[in-house]
Amino acid sequence: MEKPAERFTLAHGSGGEFTNQLLETEVFSILGNEYLRKKHDGAVFELSGRLAFTTDSYVVSPLFFPGGNIGDLAVNGTVNDLAMCGAKARYLSLSFILEEGFSKEEFHVILLAIRKAADAAGVLVVTGDTKVVERGKGDKIFINTSGVGQVHHQAFIDAENIRAGDRILISGPLASHGMAIMSVREGLEFESQIQSDTASVHAEVLALLDAFGADIHFLRDPTRGGVATVLNEIARQTNLGMALEEHQIPLHEQVQSACEMLGLDPLYVANEGIFMAWVKGEVSEQVLQKLQAILPSEQQAALIGTVVTEHPGQVVMLTGIGGRRVVAMPSGEQLPRIC
Amino acid sequence: MEKPAERFTLAHGSGGEFTNQLLETEVFSILGNEYLRKKHDGAVFELSGRLAFTTDSYVVSPLFFPGGNIGDLAVNGTVNDLAMCGAKARYLSLSFILEEGFSKEEFHVILLAIRKAADAAGVLVVTGDTKVVERGKGDKIFINTSGVGQVHHQAFIDAENIRAGDRILISGPLASHGMAIMSVREGLEFESQIQSDTASVHAEVLALLDAFGADIHFLRDPTRGGVATVLNEIARQTNLGMALEEHQIPLHEQVQSACEMLGLDPLYVANEGIFMAWVKGEVSEQVLQKLQAILPSEQQAALIGTVVTEHPGQVVMLTGIGGRRVVAMPSGEQLPRIC
């Protein structure tokens, strides 16, 4: 007879014996390190200089998708947010909100993914928290990851540094994460499975900062809302125009087909393993070459546009056939709970 | 005609126009500072030396209770977790998981409480995140606060420093937070309303560290699971015994009555504005006097017990009539979603 699946109960969030058991048998055995094993209210470490600090709560649905799960998504997302500040992630916190009845087996798989992603990014989970809410008051598992990183000594990442003439670089093809999630939700079968691009990008970012320092003016990862949302935010914030060249935008063929099938514009679809850089025009080709030299060949890094003084506050796409269209800020929710 | 109550929709979590509006009109207008206004993926600041880092997700139900709401609870909780590391909180992150349909008016009141508590503790909210989940997949609002603090130069807070002969200090009366929550849940009317003790305790902690430095061996705030759970954890971790004196334990009369009415042991009930310190025996009376001199008179700080070599790993209560009973680690969940 099969053992019944073990599930979380409210007692696992009590702070008492069940919480302790959960920490000892699962969390510490997978993620344990000298900081976590202190089991204190926080972690203490030495760091000096310019630090970056970020937070994100992950509510992605489904929890498991081609290419990853909520666990590595949460770690990579926070490592990447720190990278966008020009920082190398050093220490992460991890906070779970579990729904009563959530499967311990799924939790275990998620923890393994967290460990693997943290190891890959060279970051330690040093402090955490676990809460359990009643059935129907949550959705299996929500994860918050916050992180502290050390800013690269040559990093001066600030939207205020963006100038007309800057080129806009993207490190890889668009929309893979969002379309991987959608393919599961919609039960779609494509010719080959679309994988989420979830991955940490700090190594590439730090290599560019090593080589080009302050000529990297600004960094952002186009997650929720995609490339179009980031560009619109930056156009507004800088009161400059963003001119995109449609034929330069990297896109996997199957992602494009999937977007067409579902009527989605890949510019608005979430990514979890690429970044955008605003780079001084004069060095932009060198930056691209450097990035292409680091990245696996299929990554297709590209210069997709230019910062201009025309159409301030707006994003304009130059289409392949010589046309122009405004790429608007999305108003509503295209794909809820994508991350 | 009354304006219909404004409520959150999934679009507020999209990262697009609605998210922007929410940030501009609510979050930034209440919490805004130079860091948040950068609207970047993280905040960058300078800090050097020993730092403390902590995280907590708050799922308290109800959101509003006598003495506070989930907003100040979240800020104070994270400030206090840092204080328990011997640190002064400097920078907080704030991450919301909102349920579709949650009232914007309630959100506004919560934000005001966050601002007030942050100001009182001298801490800045520098980075954040907002997600929205579908109706029935969350419970109005969950808040994660993570925090970074600077460790006091004289703080050496570590359970390994606890020795037999240390006295156990508590900074105020037990069980107020838990009983304030329970009074709302159970619709109880007491002679006078029981208020949650939610408050930051860093000022008191830092004053003790100023005066007594490394003679403050260890600190913990008895939140979920209360004083009994903390003592059991520390007894196990140190493999020493914790001997409590029942008549020394401070307890408001009305809290005691309420506990009796509901059959709850105040030792297991959550607190949100007091802390416990393990203090070198020789200076313990001076530490108590110092704390009593700082705290408002009604706080009733007290030395409630001693670390002993007898009954290692166990907590034993010496009762008023000369008896002894073991204070066990709670196994299940006495009061779910108390914080």
Side-chain angles (χ1 to χ4, degrees):
Chain A
M1 220 173 73
E2 229 179 305
K3 210 173 78 172
E6 285 191 85
R7 300 195 173 275
F8 285 102
T9 65
L10 289 173
H12 289 103
S14 66
E17 197 65 86
F18 278 80
T19 309
N20 250 300
Q21 275 173 23
L22 171 68
L23 291 177
E24 290 293 346
T25 59
E26 280 288 329
V27 182
F28 294 162
S29 75
I30 295 175
L31 301 175
N33 54 55
E34 55 176 321
Y35 301 95
L36 273 185
R37 291 202 169 279
K38 292 265 182 209
K39 297 196 266 185
H40 196 32
D41 290 333
V44 172
F45 44 75
E46 298 244 1
L47 267 186
S48 286
R50 281 192 303 154
L51 307 180
F53 178 34
T54 191
T55 192
D56 258 318
S57 287
Y58 292 84
V59 298
V60 66
S61 174
L63 300 176
F64 298 89
F65 46 82
N69 66 47
I70 190 172
D72 39 21
L73 189 73
V75 170
N76 292 333
T78 291
V79 167
N80 290 350
D81 279 348
L82 292 171
M84 297 306 101
C85 300
K88 164 84 180 73
R90 294 290 305 275
Y91 301 105
L92 288 196
S93 68
L94 193 57
S95 180
F96 300 113
I97 299 174
L98 305 170
E99 185 191 13
E100 181 187 16
F102 179 55
S103 145
K104 282 195 183 174
E105 199 178 318
E106 290 188 357
F107 184 65
H108 183 78
V109 176
I110 290 166
L111 280 178
L112 292 176
I114 287 172
R115 173 63 194 257
K116 198 172 164 193
D119 285 352
V123 65
L124 283 179
V125 175
V126 295
T127 189
D129 180 45
T130 306
K131 295 289 184 342
V132 183
V133 296
E134 305 90 332
R135 208 179 284 265
K137 300 292 185 183
D139 194 12
K140 295 179 180 169
I141 183 171
F142 300 143
I143 301 181
N144 178 282
T145 41
S146 300
V148 176
Q150 182 94 52
V151 179
H152 191 284
H153 67 288
Q154 295 201 104
F156 300 93
I157 307 302
D158 195 319
E160 288 178 17
N161 296 338
I162 296 174
R163 296 280 175 275
D166 281 3
R167 303 296 309 276
I168 304 164
L169 178 75
I170 195 152
S171 69
L174 271 62
S176 309
H177 176 71
M179 296 320 294
I181 298 282
M182 289 307 288
S183 69
V184 182
R185 282 197 200 154
E186 307 284 324
L188 297 178
E189 304 244 341
F190 301 113
E191 211 164 305
S192 58
Q193 201 184 45
I194 297 176
Q195 303 271 324
S196 165
D197 61 351
T198 179
S200 60
V201 300
H202 67 287
E204 296 86 327
V205 167
L206 296 172
L208 294 187
L209 290 168
D210 274 341
F212 301 99
D215 286 345
I216 310 294
H217 290 165
F218 194 62
L219 296 163
R220 276 292 283 278
D221 56 342
T223 56
R224 262 190 298 184
V227 168
T229 300
V230 167
L231 286 168
N232 271 284
E233 282 175 15
I234 302 309
R236 287 184 189 184
Q237 220 174 323
T238 58
N239 204 31
L240 290 164
M242 305 288 145
L244 295 182
E245 294 160 64
E246 191 164 45
H247 68 282
Q248 294 294 352
I249 294 173
L251 194 58
H252 280 311
E253 212 175 300
Q254 58 182 353
V255 171
Q256 187 166 15
S257 311
C259 284
E260 282 166 10
M261 193 185 297
L262 295 173
L264 297 170
D265 183 338
L267 279 177
Y268 292 90
V269 176
N271 311 277
E272 293 288 343
I274 60 171
F275 65 93
M276 299 166 72
W278 282 254
V279 177
K280 193 179 183 179
E282 291 85 336
V283 298
S284 59
E285 288 291 344
Q286 289 160 264
V287 176
L288 175 63
Q289 282 162 29
K290 173 85 186 172
L291 190 56
Q292 285 171 334
I294 308 167
L295 288 170
S297 58
E298 70 272 21
Q299 267 278 25
Q300 302 174 282
L303 293 164
I304 61 168
T306 308
V307 179
V308 295
T309 50
E310 294 89 57
H311 52 82
Q314 280 202 320
V315 182
V316 169
M317 176 74 87
L318 310 172
T319 62
I321 49 166
R324 295 162 58 95
R325 62 179 170 92
V326 171
V327 177
M329 183 74 148
S331 59
E333 175 61 284
Q334 199 184 28
L335 303 170
R337 297 184 61 187
I338 210 78
C339 63
Chain B
M1 219 172 75
E2 229 180 308
K3 211 173 79 170
E6 284 190 87
R7 300 195 172 276
F8 285 102
T9 65
L10 289 173
H12 289 104
S14 66
E17 197 66 83
F18 279 81
T19 309
N20 250 299
Q21 276 174 22
L22 171 68
L23 291 177
E24 290 293 347
T25 60
E26 280 289 329
V27 182
F28 294 162
S29 75
I30 295 174
L31 301 175
N33 54 55
E34 55 176 320
Y35 302 95
L36 273 185
R37 291 202 170 280
K38 291 265 182 210
K39 296 196 264 186
H40 196 33
D41 290 332
V44 172
F45 45 74
E46 299 244 0
L47 267 187
S48 286
R50 281 192 302 154
L51 307 180
F53 178 34
T54 192
T55 192
D56 258 317
S57 288
Y58 292 84
V59 299
V60 66
S61 175
L63 300 176
F64 298 89
F65 46 81
N69 65 47
I70 190 173
D72 39 22
L73 189 74
V75 171
N76 292 333
T78 291
V79 167
N80 290 349
D81 279 349
L82 293 171
M84 296 307 100
C85 300
K88 165 85 180 72
R90 294 291 305 274
Y91 301 104
L92 289 196
S93 68
L94 193 57
S95 180
F96 301 112
I97 299 175
L98 305 170
E99 184 190 12
E100 181 186 15
F102 179 54
S103 146
K104 282 196 184 174
E105 198 179 319
E106 290 189 356
F107 184 65
H108 182 78
V109 176
I110 290 166
L111 281 178
L112 291 176
I114 287 172
R115 173 63 194 257
K116 198 172 165 194
D119 284 352
V123 64
L124 284 179
V125 174
V126 295
T127 189
D129 180 45
T130 305
K131 295 288 186 339
V132 183
V133 296
E134 306 90 330
R135 208 180 285 264
K137 300 293 185 182
D139 194 10
K140 296 179 180 172
I141 182 170
F142 300 143
I143 301 181
N144 179 281
T145 41
S146 301
V148 176
Q150 182 94 52
V151 179
H152 190 284
H153 67 286
Q154 295 202 102
F156 300 94
I157 306 302
D158 196 318
E160 288 178 16
N161 296 338
I162 296 174
R163 295 282 174 274
D166 281 3
R167 302 297 307 278
I168 304 164
L169 178 74
I170 195 152
S171 69
L174 270 64
S176 309
H177 176 71
M179 296 319 295
I181 298 284
M182 289 307 287
S183 70
V184 182
R185 282 198 200 153
E186 307 284 325
L188 296 179
E189 303 245 342
F190 302 114
E191 210 164 307
S192 57
Q193 202 184 44
I194 298 175
Q195 302 271 324
S196 166
D197 61 351
T198 179
S200 60
V201 300
H202 68 286
E204 295 87 325
V205 167
L206 297 172
L208 294 187
L209 290 168
D210 273 342
F212 301 99
D215 287 345
I216 311 294
H217 290 165
F218 194 62
L219 296 163
R220 275 292 284 279
D221 56 341
T223 56
R224 260 191 300 185
V227 168
T229 301
V230 168
L231 285 168
N232 271 284
E233 282 175 18
I234 302 308
R236 287 183 191 183
Q237 220 174 323
T238 57
N239 203 31
L240 289 164
M242 304 288 145
L244 295 183
E245 293 159 66
E246 192 164 45
H247 68 284
Q248 295 293 352
I249 295 173
L251 194 58
H252 280 312
E253 212 175 299
Q254 58 183 355
V255 171
Q256 186 166 15
S257 310
C259 283
E260 282 167 10
M261 194 184 297
L262 295 174
L264 297 171
D265 183 338
L267 279 176
Y268 293 90
V269 177
N271 311 277
E272 293 288 344
I274 60 172
F275 65 94
M276 298 165 72
W278 281 254
V279 177
K280 193 178 183 180
E282 291 84 337
V283 298
S284 59
E285 288 292 343
Q286 288 160 264
V287 176
L288 175 62
Q289 282 163 27
K290 174 85 186 172
L291 190 57
Q292 285 171 333
I294 309 167
L295 287 169
S297 58
E298 69 272 22
Q299 267 278 25
Q300 302 174 284
L303 293 164
I304 61 169
T306 308
V307 179
V308 295
T309 51
E310 294 89 56
H311 52 83
Q314 280 201 320
V315 182
V316 169
M317 176 74 87
L318 310 173
T319 61
I321 49 165
R324 294 162 59 95
R325 63 180 171 90
V326 170
V327 177
M329 184 74 147
S331 59
E333 175 62 282
Q334 200 185 25
L335 303 171
R337 297 185 61 189
I338 210 77
C339 62

